[in-house]
Amino acid sequence: MSEKKHYGFTTTILHGDRQKAIEHGSLHKPIHTSVAFGYADARQLASVFQGKEPGFRYGRQGNPTISALEEKVNKMEQGVGTICFATGMGAIGAVVQALLRTGDHVVSSSFLFGNTNSLWQTAMSQGVGVSFVDATDVANVEAAITDSTRVVFVETIANPRTQVADLKRIGELCKARGILYVVDNTMTTPYLFQPKSVHAGLVVNALTKSIGGHGNALGGSITDTGAYDWKQFPNIYENYKKAAPLQWGLAQIRAKALRDFGSSLAPDAAHHIAVGAETLALRMQRTTANALALAELLEKDERVAAVYYPGLKSHPQHHISAELFRAHGSLLSFELKDGLDCFDFLNRLKLAIPASNLGDNRTLIIPVAHTIFFEMGAERRASMGIAESLIRVSVGIEDTDDLLDDFCTALEGC
Ligand SMILES: *Cc1c(COP(=O)(O)O)cnc(C)c1O
């Protein structure tokens, strides 16, 4: 495959690997399980350790199977480099561990994946200031920025209420102020949206979700898009300034987060994720079409009090989603009318499975306040706009009619 020709998203993922020879002509990158890598010449071992020539040292810092996946994700995001982690949280945690110091300040969206919210609480207990703002309007982000703000962190479409961040304007603001803009692209995936297009410096993906797509492997990644000038970042140690500035950020993340904290992706998981990623575009086409059909059905039903899906004209950020994303995502949430028991409703569904996780091929459904957002308490839930009856749906690839039927039948019992 020629490096020069511009191929589409799926062709690139399928054939991009073959730009370099794969062992024995294997079509999949083999699963390398060796923890250590031996060198016939001891001087070569030393020069790999000193970063003077490429090569693998020890499995915690990477191996050939992981590198192949890193290249694949990097191509999807059109980045300058990507590092994989054991989980999506491992990737987000790496931002805190590698890039922030006591006294630094972060502006984060208040509409966040629950565990990321909890991670920021941990960072606060370790001396990092975090301001939570409604990031659907750039003015709120701007008002929260201080002289010590190092990072602005947002999700594209927030889980579970589907607020869409003011991605483009926040990108312009961060660029003007020289602040590192980190975007969690999990809900959109690089097929629907590339945060590089709005000046994000780092992109996080929970590979566990739609990119892996089959709910059979955990993984996460950080991609450097090349949009951020690391010379403006005060927290890069001298050690990691040896290479070109474009590589400073990832060099420090690989050493300070992956090597020192050890949240390394397992080679088996990397293989599962790489295979799943081959069909990302096909699956997203199906799940986003299913999600829109289901959102429209729920919005018309008198037993439903509210539906949150960026593809609906009634959604407050529908215009941002329509402008920036190829489709409006696979996640929606809704509230039943007062007095209707969400557990009874869930138990009447035959196809949709009560389970956590997102981006599986199967439709998964969960009562948010009673499960994933239980620990944070009613007050914080209310401040995040999470109603006690909110139900989140991660829409799968089932045949559309079957899926709609399942919800209709369950609603009829209400
Ligand atoms: C699931 C998720 C994560 C965390 O990913 P894990 O692989 O479960 O650790 C982070 N961000 C978002 C938006 C997610 O949905």
Side-chain angles (χ1 to χ4, degrees):
M1 179 175 163
S2 127
E3 187 85 65
K4 284 183 202 99
K5 187 163 162 46
H6 183 75
Y7 288 103
F9 189 85
T10 296
T11 312
T12 304
I13 295 171
L14 284 175
H15 296 280
D17 286 349
R18 294 192 290 119
Q19 287 170 6
K20 285 185 199 146
I22 302 187
E23 297 95 307
H24 311 293
S26 168
L27 298 191
H28 289 286
K29 186 73 186 176
I31 303 174
H32 289 267
T33 57
S34 184
V35 169
F37 298 84
Y39 293 87
D41 176 351
R43 285 190 185 82
Q44 194 186 359
L45 173 70
S47 80
V48 167
F49 260 79
Q50 292 165 23
K52 291 179 184 151
E53 63 179 294
F56 297 98
R57 315 174 200 183
Y58 183 70
R60 187 173 353 97
Q61 285 111 287
N63 89 10
T65 312
I66 314 293
S67 289
L69 179 63
E70 288 175 343
E71 275 186 46
K72 219 182 256 278
V73 175
N74 199 50
K75 285 198 172 84
M76 293 187 210
E77 292 287 4
Q78 300 194 320
V80 297
T82 293
I83 301 176
C84 283
F85 295 86
T87 63
M89 286 317 300
I92 301 171
V95 172
V96 180
Q97 290 153 349
L99 299 179
L100 295 174
R101 299 184 188 182
T102 304
D104 285 347
H105 178 250
V106 173
V107 180
S108 168
S109 170
S110 46
F111 311 126
L112 280 180
F113 178 63
N115 300 158
T116 306
N117 175 70
S118 170
L119 171 67
W120 287 133
Q121 309 296 332
T122 305
M124 285 160 84
S125 74
Q126 296 172 353
V128 172
V130 183
S131 301
F132 294 98
V133 302
D134 175 350
T136 60
D137 183 347
V138 66
N140 300 326
V141 176
E142 184 160 23
I145 287 176
T146 71
D147 287 345
S148 46
T149 303
R150 301 282 169 260
V151 165
V152 170
F153 182 97
V154 301
E155 294 173 6
T156 52
I157 302 176
N159 160 14
R161 267 283 312 273
T162 77
Q163 296 95 336
V164 183
D166 197 356
L167 291 158
K168 206 162 146 182
R169 283 176 204 83
I170 298 172
E172 283 157 8
L173 172 70
C174 290
K175 191 177 175 199
R177 300 287 187 89
I179 295 170
L180 177 62
Y181 184 25
V182 183
V183 175
D184 181 337
N185 198 27
T186 302
M187 301 310 300
T188 24
T189 80
Y191 176 65
L192 298 186
F193 176 62
Q194 289 170 339
K196 180 182 180 171
S197 67
V198 296
H199 307 301
L202 296 180
V203 181
V204 170
N205 279 290
L207 305 174
T208 313
K209 310 294 172 55
S210 302
I211 291 181
H214 296 70
N216 60 356
L218 290 156
S221 64
I222 295 179
T223 299
D224 187 330
T225 66
Y228 184 71
D229 178 6
W230 289 100
K231 293 200 291 297
Q232 298 180 297
F233 200 72
N235 294 352
I236 301 291
Y237 298 95
E238 287 309 316
N239 253 348
Y240 308 112
K241 290 185 179 172
K242 287 175 194 143
L246 208 55
Q247 289 163 19
W248 291 0
L250 286 189
Q252 183 156 316
I253 291 169
R254 196 176 278 282
K256 287 287 151 194
L258 191 66
R259 185 195 65 196
D260 295 1
F261 283 83
S263 172
S264 315
L265 182 63
D268 264 69
H271 169 73
H272 283 304
I273 292 164
V275 173
E278 294 180 356
T279 53
L280 174 62
L282 301 180
R283 289 182 285 103
M284 290 308 282
Q285 285 159 16
R286 177 71 157 253
T287 58
T288 55
N290 274 353
L292 182 59
L294 182 58
E296 285 171 346
L297 176 133
L298 291 169
E299 194 173 45
K300 281 193 221 110
D301 196 290
E302 79 257 6
R303 288 154 291 205
V304 174
V307 183
Y308 307 103
Y309 183 64
L312 294 175
K313 300 237 162 42
S314 58
H315 190 285
Q317 292 90 39
H318 174 69
H319 59 287
I320 303 182
S321 182
E323 182 195 344
L324 297 180
F325 308 151
R326 201 194 287 252
H328 304 281
S330 321
L331 181 108
L332 63 88
S333 55
F334 67 99
E335 294 160 22
L336 290 171
K337 286 242 165 89
D338 271 354
L340 299 179
D341 188 303
C342 68
F343 289 100
D344 288 343
F345 169 79
L346 294 173
N347 287 340
R348 278 193 297 273
L349 291 161
K350 296 267 183 309
L351 292 177
I353 306 167
S356 183
N357 196 17
L358 308 167
D360 196 294
N361 281 332
R362 298 152 193 82
T363 296
L364 306 180
I365 189 160
I366 194 159
V368 175
H370 308 277
T371 55
I372 46 177
F373 279 56
F374 182 71
E375 185 184 305
M376 67 178 60
E379 200 176 310
R380 177 100 178 101
R381 280 198 294 275
S383 77
M384 293 171 86
I386 310 291
E388 297 300 292
S389 70
L390 189 74
I391 294 173
R392 182 186 81 183
V393 191
S394 168
V395 180
I397 61 168
E398 290 91 350
D399 295 286
T400 313
D401 289 348
D402 293 336
L403 189 64
L404 299 188
D405 241 31
D406 196 31
F407 278 79
C408 278
T409 310
L411 280 168
E412 270 152 27
C414 284

